[in-house]
Amino acid sequence: GLLARKSTVLSPQSIEATRVADANDAEPSACVVQSVEFHPQSLLMLTAGFDKMLRLFQVDGVKNPKVRSAFFEDTPIRKAKFLNSYEILASGRRPFYY
């Protein structure tokens, strides 16, 4: 799978890497991406940026389909992160947050 087991120890001699499909290939950002974060307990990844969009992708390494997106009118997103299993905080330079 894509996730390493918690008991796996990284060898100091070598690191194996495999090129996979871009995680946001289903819907790339139209502007600079400011936040990328992987969900701590699933294969979800979020991206957010100056195009005012927050996107969630199911990262499988092959198709990486978009799960959901949200548009924040008049709020270019500077930072977004998973707060817990089901909540996301997004903020920008405006005097409010979502």
Side-chain angles (χ1 to χ4, degrees):
L2 293 174
L3 298 177
R5 289 185 165 73
K6 291 184 187 270
S7 63
T8 302
V9 176
L10 185 62
S11 169
Q13 288 81 22
S14 65
I15 296 176
E16 185 177 322
T18 303
R19 174 75 168 118
V20 296
D22 291 344
N24 67 340
D25 195 42
E27 189 175 301
S29 179
C31 290
V32 176
V33 172
Q34 293 293 306
S35 286
V36 174
E37 185 168 352
F38 290 91
H39 191 278
Q41 297 151 347
S42 72
L43 295 177
L44 281 179
M45 180 192 81
L46 74 77
T47 65
F50 289 159
D51 64 352
K52 307 173 192 170
M53 292 288 291
L54 183 139
R55 295 172 179 87
L56 294 172
F57 298 93
Q58 183 74 34
V59 179
D60 63 10
V62 180
K63 294 193 184 234
N64 307 322
K66 183 181 79 168
V67 175
R68 181 135 331 178
S69 62
F71 179 72
F72 294 84
E73 189 173 333
D74 197 37
T75 306
I77 302 170
R78 292 241 176 215
K79 181 70 177 168
K81 72 178 282 99
F82 290 105
L83 293 179
N84 52 43
S85 294
Y86 55 91
E87 292 180 309
I88 296 171
L89 177 69
S91 64
R93 294 181 62 186
R94 304 295 187 256
F96 43 84
Y97 60 91
Y98 294 95

